[in-house]
């Protein structure tokens, strides 16, 4: 038995198996402890779970390197050739790892942030050394609701596409939408009505919106537009009137406010148009 024990401890393969088994068991136990049998996880819990998973893989990788380093050092030249072959064969994985290093180095986003990468946008629910998982956000006009789908994007995408962090607009957003009106209808009084209507609808959140707007300016160091509504009248390529409305409002109310304003404008314009005809 002592001889078998010594042989076991001296075997790199046995040590590697023991290291992997212990760390994976510890990871499973920690994840279970963090979840605490909850079906829906908080952002903090998801953040801790991601940290535990990533840390365990890093420890495994460096532990295996430490165990096998004496063997590897004896075959340095062979390893160099193998490494070159692996680099060529695993180019995409290396790019993904480089993208993960870019994310970690720049602090571009973390768990719970809203981001947009290329054509994909969503809330970050998980990430590791090779990929990032998003809870997909719908496209316009429902840009602030979840589709129910998850997107797994390779981290290599961070090297070729810009990362837009939308987290400041997770609570409040500059919501912009347009209403197209026939050119013969009178829209001169519409902007005043829209502004007064928005003032009424935003009475319960305008003060918080002003504070949040100031908070964004201080955090970004950029002078952004204030929370007051803006209405712009222009024409499109078909010579029709386009009423563009910009509202700074709670994200969950953006679509509701757009629907209310659009319906009110169309009803008002139709009434005015009918009288003028």
């Amino acid at each position: 038995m002592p001889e078998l024990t010594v042989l076991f401890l001296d075997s790199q393969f046995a040590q590697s198996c023991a290291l992997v088994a212990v760390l994976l068991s510890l990871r499973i136990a920690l994840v279970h402890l963090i979840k605490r049998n909850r079906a829906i996880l908080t952002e903090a819990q998801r953040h801790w779970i991601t940290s535990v998973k990533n840390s365990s893989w890093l420890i495994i990788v460096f532990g295996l390197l430490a165990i096998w380093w004496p063997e590897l050092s004896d075959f340095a030249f062979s390893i160099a050739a193998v490494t070159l072959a692996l680099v060529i064969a695993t180019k995409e994985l290396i790019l993904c790892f480089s993208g993960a290093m870019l994310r970690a180095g720049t602090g571009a986003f973390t768990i719970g942030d809203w981001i947009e990468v290329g054509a994909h946008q969503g809330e970050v629910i998980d990430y590791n050394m090779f990929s990032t998982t998003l809870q997909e956000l719908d496209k316009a006009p429902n840009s602030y609701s979840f589709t129910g789908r998850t997107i797994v994007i390779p981290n290599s995408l961070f090297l070729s596409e810009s990362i837009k962090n939308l987290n400041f607009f997770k609570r409040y957003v500059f919501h912009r939408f347009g209403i197209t009106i026939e050119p013969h209808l009178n829209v001169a009084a519409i902007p005043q009505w829209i502004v007064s209507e928005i003032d009424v609808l935003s009475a319960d959140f305008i003060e918080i919106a002003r504070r949040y707007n100031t908070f964004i300016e201080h955090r970004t160091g950029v002078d952004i537009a204030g929370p007051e509504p803006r209405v712009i009248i222009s024409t499109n390529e078909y010579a029709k009137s386009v009423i563009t409305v910009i509202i700074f409002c709670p994200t969950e109310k953006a679509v509701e406010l757009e629907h209310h304003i659009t319906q009110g404008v169309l009803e008002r314009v139709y009434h005015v148009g009918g009288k003028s005809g």
Side-chain angles (χ1 to χ4, degrees):
M1 286 300 293
E3 290 79 4
L4 290 176
T5 303
V6 172
L7 181 63
F8 179 82
L9 293 176
D10 287 341
S11 171
Q12 284 98 340
F13 180 75
Q15 292 173 7
S16 301
C17 292
L19 174 68
V20 173
V22 169
L23 288 177
L24 289 181
S25 300
L26 182 61
R27 187 180 78 168
I28 292 172
L30 288 175
V31 170
H32 180 73
L33 181 63
I34 294 171
K35 286 184 176 180
R36 296 178 182 176
N37 297 323
R38 292 185 179 179
I40 300 177
L41 303 179
T42 64
E43 288 185 12
Q45 288 175 314
R46 291 201 303 267
H47 181 81
W48 278 108
I49 289 174
T50 299
S51 298
V52 168
K53 289 181 179 179
N54 293 338
S55 299
S56 64
W57 283 121
L58 284 175
I59 295 173
I60 288 174
V61 170
F62 286 109
L64 292 176
L65 285 175
I67 292 172
W68 289 95
W69 184 252
E71 298 293 335
L72 296 176
S73 60
D74 293 338
F75 301 97
F77 294 106
S78 299
I79 291 172
V82 172
T83 301
L84 180 61
L86 286 175
V87 167
I88 296 174
T90 60
K91 176 183 176 182
E92 186 63 27
L93 291 179
I94 294 173
L95 289 175
C96 288
F97 184 77
S98 300
M101 293 300 99
L102 174 66
R103 175 199 59 76
T106 59
F109 59 83
T110 186
I111 297 293
D113 284 0
W114 283 11
I115 65 170
E116 180 179 336
V117 182
H120 309 293
Q121 62 180 14
E123 180 175 326
V124 181
I125 58 176
D126 191 19
Y127 56 75
N128 53 47
M129 290 187 292
F130 302 109
S131 65
T132 298
T133 305
L134 305 179
Q135 185 73 37
E136 186 182 40
L137 284 168
D138 205 353
K139 304 295 183 182
N142 303 311
S143 305
Y144 316 114
S145 59
F146 292 106
T147 64
R149 297 188 294 264
T150 57
I151 309 173
V152 179
I153 59 176
N155 290 340
S156 59
L157 201 62
F158 301 153
L159 303 175
S160 59
E161 298 283 353
S162 60
I163 305 172
K164 299 179 182 179
N165 193 311
L166 312 177
N167 204 44
F168 280 134
F169 302 121
K170 187 176 180 180
R171 292 180 55 198
Y172 277 79
V173 66
F174 282 102
H175 184 56
R176 183 189 187 105
F177 62 94
I179 307 170
T180 304
I181 305 296
E182 293 297 329
H184 65 277
L185 296 174
N186 183 8
V187 296
I190 292 301
Q192 183 179 356
W193 177 84
I194 292 177
V195 171
S196 61
E197 188 70 9
I198 293 176
D199 288 341
V200 174
L201 296 173
S202 63
D204 58 338
F205 62 79
I206 188 61
E207 289 302 323
I208 299 177
R210 290 194 180 101
R211 291 197 295 268
Y212 197 73
N213 183 269
T214 304
F215 168 74
I216 295 176
E217 287 185 334
H218 290 166
R219 286 292 301 271
T220 60
V222 177
D223 184 18
I224 62 177
E228 289 73 22
R230 296 182 296 283
V231 182
I232 305 169
I233 297 180
S234 59
T235 57
N236 60 15
E237 63 272 24
Y238 305 108
K240 294 185 178 182
S241 300
V242 179
I243 304 173
T244 302
V245 184
I246 305 174
I247 314 173
F248 188 69
C249 62
T251 304
E252 68 273 10
K253 292 187 177 182
V255 176
E256 177 186 344
L257 290 173
E258 176 183 346
H259 176 75
H260 180 88
I261 295 298
T262 301
Q263 182 177 2
V265 167
L266 293 178
E267 290 177 352
R268 191 174 181 84
V269 168
Y270 177 79
H271 178 68
V272 173
K275 291 180 68 175
S276 62

